[in-house]
Structure formats: structure tokens, C-alpha cells
């Protein structure tokens, strides 16, 4: 309608302008498409999974091929790169660029990480780096970093150093004034927390519990008294043990969330009390990594334990190598009773008994 109202000269000028703009746009689109094809670490397969058809939308192509002018080359240093916790599409463009540009990638399991690199057509060499060879690898890695190389560190899933290798190397690099650059990515405990329905204002990430029974009980006693949401990593084959031990200390009525196979096809969030969970999983062996969350202690008044309960807790801690004062402190943290009262009980029950044993 606008063209009909213009004089003939104006129409010809407008038409020519539109023609030049269309030609310019087509050439620009071709150049962007060529640039897109040259980025070898974005395979066609990964894009098709986002789209309803095999065609790649122009908007998505523009998003991927956008090259910030101020980006520049990566500086040498240690890059802690977050990787998917299950779904390979959960990785950032920046993470892919770092992995593509690095001189070497330190990997917890090279076979596992090789699948991720293959999926995105990344050819950077892998070097195994896990808890069993950390100390042997550190000297070699530090030498490469001091020579100005770009070293990327990844774990099997999530952020390096969070219940995974990487913490010690990062500490050494900080001491040696070597840049340590975090590349944010997925995290299992934050993913679980966000969808748990429990309080996210404050939380305590505990991670994996110790293998020793006494140390596990210590940690659970400390967690049970906290008012913040408690977050644990639990191996699937130890879920029954965890629920049995935690329900005794937290109480059967405490709410919990069991999140497993996060971001994968069989992702599951189980919600209920610790007592119900203990029953539900007594005959069911779940598969996949588990993030288990327990609500914080909301009771202003904690039930006062009996003298026999206190004595049993003290005896177990002392038998596991704790001093009398250390055992009293740990038991006091899990109850509403004063430390002085528990200490008096400990002196009466254990010190006198020890003296009597010595006299015999």
C-alpha cells in the first residue's frame, strides 16, 4: 500500500534499495552459514535435537555463530570446566570453546569424557587425572602451566573440585600465582535443590559421607541439629544404609527428597518422610547417582534424650577413638542439653569406671 502512494521515481528508488538490502542479507546469511559450518565442535546432531525438524532455524544459527569482537584468545592458565551431569546438551558455548582451544584436557575418566568430546567433535588430547594419580600428575601439569599452556580440567559430571578431583590442583596453582579460571556449568546438588520443594534460602552441602561408621554418625548428628536444608550424595548401593542411619538420628518424620538420574531419561524425584523412604526403598534397589536432601530442623525445642541414650552415644564415640571432651562436644551438638550436663554424665559413667578397671 505504501508503494502505491509514492511517485514512480520514488518507487524505483525504493525497489532498488530493497533489492540491494535483500542481496546484502543473502550474502551475509551465506557468510554466517559458512562460518557456522567451520565450527567443528557443534555437530548437526546436537542442533536437530533442539528443533522439531531437521532444518536449523536462522535465529538459532545466528545465536551460535555470534562472535563477540572483544572475546580474543584464551589466556594461559587452569580452566575448571563444568560438564553435563547426564544430558549432553547441558553444556555452555564458553565451555565448548575452552575445551576446543585447550592444549590438554585433564579428565577423571578418559573413556567417559571421550564420549562428550566425540559428540562435539573436539580433538583436544585427554590426560587422565583422578584421585589415585593426582599427586603424580601435579608436577607434570604445573610444568605445562608454567610454560604458558592452556589446561582444562573436567570431571565425569558437574563442576571439578565439588566432590571430585581438582581442589588440590587449584590450591597449588593459586599458591604459584597461576591463573585459575572457572567455567560455570551444571551441578547435581543445585539442580536437585532447585526442584526439591525444600527451603533454598540456606542449605548445607555435605556431599558423600565418610566410610567409617563412627565418622558417619558424627556427621549425621551435626546435620540433624542444623536448621538449613542438608544435601548429601549417596551411592545407589548404600541408599538403604543411609536411610536406616539417618532416620535414627533425624527422626522418621523428617521430610526428604531423593533425586536420581538428574537430566536423564529416567529422572526421578521421590518425596516423603525418612521413615516412609526407608520402607519404600527397603526392597527396591535404585540405579544411577543419587542426591538426597533432608529438610532442616524446624523444632525450636528438641526432645531431651534419656541418660541411657546419652551414655550409649558417648560410649560409641569413645570406642571409636574420640577423647572424652570430643565425644561430649559431638553429643551436645545433637541435643538440646547443656554441654556441662553431658560432661558431668561422662565423668560419672566413664572416668570412675576407668579408675576402677585400673585398680583391678
Amino acid at each position: 500500500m505504501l508503494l502505491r502512494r509514492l511517485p514512480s521515481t520514488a518507487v524505483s528508488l525504493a525497489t532498488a534499495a530493497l533489492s540491494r538490502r535483500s542481496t546484502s542479507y543473502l550474502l551475509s546469511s551465506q557468510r554466517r552459514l559458512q562460518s557456522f559450518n567451520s565450527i567443528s565442535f557443534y555437530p548437526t546432531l546436537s542442533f536437530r535435537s533442539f528443533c522439531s525438524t531437521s532444518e536449523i532455524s536462522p535465529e538459532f544459527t545466528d545465536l551460535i555463530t555470534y562472535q563477540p569482537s572483544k572475546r580474543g584468545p584464551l589466556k594461559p592458565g587452569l580452566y575448571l570446566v563444568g560438564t553435563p551431569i547426564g544430558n549432553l546438551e547441558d553444556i555452555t558455548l564458553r565451555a565448548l570453546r575452552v575445551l576446543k582451544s585447550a592444549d590438554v584436557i585433564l579428565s577423571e575418566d578418559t573413556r567417559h569424557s571421550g564420549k562428550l568430546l566425540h559428540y562435539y567433535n573436539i580433538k583436544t588430547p585427554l590426560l587422565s587425572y583422578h584421585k589415585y594419580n593426582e599427586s603424580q600428575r601435579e608436577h607434570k601439569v604445573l610444568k605445562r602451566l608454567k610454560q604458558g599452556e592452556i589446561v582444562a580440567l573436567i570431571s565425569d559430571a558437574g563442576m571439578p573440585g565439588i566432590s571430585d578431583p581438582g581442589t588440590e590442583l587449584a590450591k597449588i596453582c593459586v599458591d604459584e600465582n597461576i591463573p585459575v579460571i572457572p567455567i560455570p556449568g551444571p551441578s547435581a546438588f543445585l539442580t536437585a535443590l532447585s526442584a526439591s520443594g525444600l527451603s533454598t534460602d540456606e542449605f548445607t552441602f555435605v556431599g558423600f559421607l565418610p566410610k567409617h561408621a563412627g565418622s558417619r554418625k558424627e556427621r549425621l548428628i551435626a546435620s540433624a541439629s542444623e536448621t538449613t536444608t542438608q544435601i548429601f550424595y549417596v551411592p545407589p548401593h548404600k541408599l538403604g544404609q543411609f536411610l536406616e542411619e539417618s532416620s535414627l538420628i533425624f527422626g522418621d518424620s523428617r521430610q526428604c527428597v531423593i533425586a536420581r538420574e538428574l537430566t536423564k531419561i529416567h529422572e526421578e524425584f521421590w518425596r516423603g518422610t525418612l521413615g516412609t523412604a526407608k520402607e519404600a526403598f527397603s526392597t527396591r534397589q535404585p540405579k544411577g547417582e543419587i542426591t538426597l536432601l533432608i529438610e532442616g530442623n524446624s523444632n525450636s525445642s528438641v526432645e531431651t534424650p534419656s541418660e541411657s541414650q546419652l551414655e550409649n552415644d558417648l560410649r560409641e564415640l569413645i570406642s571409636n577413638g574420640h577423647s572424652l571432651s570430643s565425644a561430649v562436644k559431638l553429643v551436645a551438638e545433637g541435643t538440646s542439653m547443656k554441654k556441662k550436663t553431658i560432661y558431668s554424665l561422662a565423668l560419672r559413667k566413664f572416668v570412675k569406671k576407668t579408675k576402677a578397671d585400673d585398680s583391678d
Side-chain angles (χ1 to χ4, degrees):
M1 295 295 293
L2 178 62
L3 292 180
R4 289 179 184 175
R5 296 174 186 171
L6 295 173
S8 58
T9 305
V11 171
S12 62
L13 288 173
T15 305
L18 286 172
S19 178
R20 285 195 299 272
R21 186 177 299 174
S22 299
T23 304
S24 175
Y25 176 79
L26 287 172
L27 290 173
S28 176
S29 297
Q30 288 175 351
R31 284 195 295 270
R32 286 200 300 270
L33 188 58
Q34 289 171 354
S35 174
F36 167 76
N37 290 331
S38 68
I39 301 177
S40 59
F41 54 90
Y42 296 113
T44 305
L45 178 61
S46 66
F47 292 120
R48 285 179 179 169
S49 62
F50 280 99
C51 306
S52 58
T53 67
S54 60
E55 296 290 334
I56 301 172
S57 68
E59 293 85 358
F60 193 70
T61 303
D62 289 342
L63 176 66
I64 297 301
T65 60
Y66 174 66
Q67 306 276 341
S69 59
K70 295 182 179 179
R71 190 177 67 183
L74 297 177
K75 65 180 180 180
L78 176 67
Y79 288 77
L80 306 178
V81 183
T83 53
I85 59 175
N87 192 319
L88 292 181
E89 293 170 352
D90 293 335
I91 191 166
T92 67
L93 302 181
R94 187 180 175 209
L96 291 173
R97 183 166 72 93
V98 170
L99 295 178
K100 176 76 173 179
S101 305
D103 295 297
V104 66
I105 299 173
L106 305 181
S107 167
E108 190 176 2
D109 183 339
T110 55
R111 289 174 299 178
H112 180 84
S113 299
K115 297 174 183 177
L116 175 68
L117 300 191
H118 176 75
Y119 187 78
Y120 286 103
N121 196 27
I122 296 173
K123 306 297 184 181
T124 307
L126 286 166
L127 180 65
S128 66
Y129 186 85
H130 45 74
K131 63 181 181 180
Y132 300 109
N133 70 358
E134 270 184 299
S135 55
Q136 291 86 1
R137 291 281 196 223
E138 281 170 0
H139 178 74
K140 182 177 181 180
V141 173
L142 279 175
K143 184 179 178 181
R144 298 185 68 160
L145 284 164
K146 289 177 178 179
Q147 290 173 347
E149 290 194 10
I150 297 169
V151 177
L153 173 62
I154 61 176
S155 66
D156 285 349
M159 286 298 297
I162 309 299
S163 293
D164 277 320
T167 303
E168 291 304 316
L169 182 58
K171 285 181 181 177
I172 294 171
C173 287
V174 169
D175 292 339
E176 296 284 340
N177 292 319
I178 296 171
V180 178
I181 304 98
I183 309 298
S187 172
F189 81 85
L190 288 176
T191 302
L193 177 64
S194 66
S196 67
L198 301 179
S199 174
T200 60
D201 293 337
E202 291 184 86
F203 58 88
T204 301
F205 173 65
V206 180
F208 292 102
L209 287 176
K211 293 182 179 180
H212 191 268
S215 300
R216 278 202 312 275
K217 186 171 183 179
E218 257 178 66
R219 178 61 251 189
L220 289 172
I221 289 173
S223 289
S225 62
E226 293 191 29
T227 58
T228 60
T229 301
Q230 302 294 297
I231 308 174
F232 303 87
Y233 284 161
V234 183
H237 63 281
K238 291 187 176 180
L239 179 60
Q241 179 192 71
F242 180 93
L243 293 172
E244 189 71 38
E245 294 177 350
S246 60
S247 62
L248 287 172
I249 296 171
F250 284 80
D252 284 341
S253 61
R254 193 80 73 94
Q255 290 291 320
C256 72
V257 176
I258 300 173
R260 69 176 195 89
E261 295 285 80
L262 292 172
T263 76
K264 298 180 182 179
I265 295 173
H266 301 293
E267 177 180 275
E268 177 188 15
F269 281 85
W270 187 97
R271 297 175 175 87
T273 64
L274 283 170
T276 308
K278 185 171 60 175
E279 293 179 11
F281 290 94
S282 60
T283 56
R284 175 188 168 194
Q285 177 68 59
K287 295 181 180 179
E289 295 301 318
I290 293 171
T291 303
L292 199 149
L293 307 92
I294 303 177
E295 71 171 341
N297 189 351
S298 59
N299 296 325
S300 55
S301 59
V302 182
E303 184 180 345
T304 303
S306 65
E307 187 173 294
S308 60
Q309 286 177 311
L310 292 172
E311 184 180 349
N312 289 335
D313 289 342
L314 288 167
R315 181 179 290 107
E316 184 172 347
L317 290 168
I318 291 170
S319 65
N320 286 326
H322 286 275
S323 64
L324 188 71
S325 59
S326 174
V328 168
K329 180 182 178 183
L330 288 167
V331 172
E333 287 176 351
T335 70
S336 60
M337 295 183 68
K338 292 182 179 180
K339 183 179 175 182
K340 184 178 179 181
T341 305
I342 299 173
Y343 192 71
S344 298
L345 173 66
L347 289 174
R348 190 171 74 252
K349 293 291 184 179
F350 296 100
V351 174
K352 288 182 179 180
K353 185 178 179 181
T354 303
K355 288 181 178 178
D357 291 342
D358 291 341
S359 62
D360 291 341

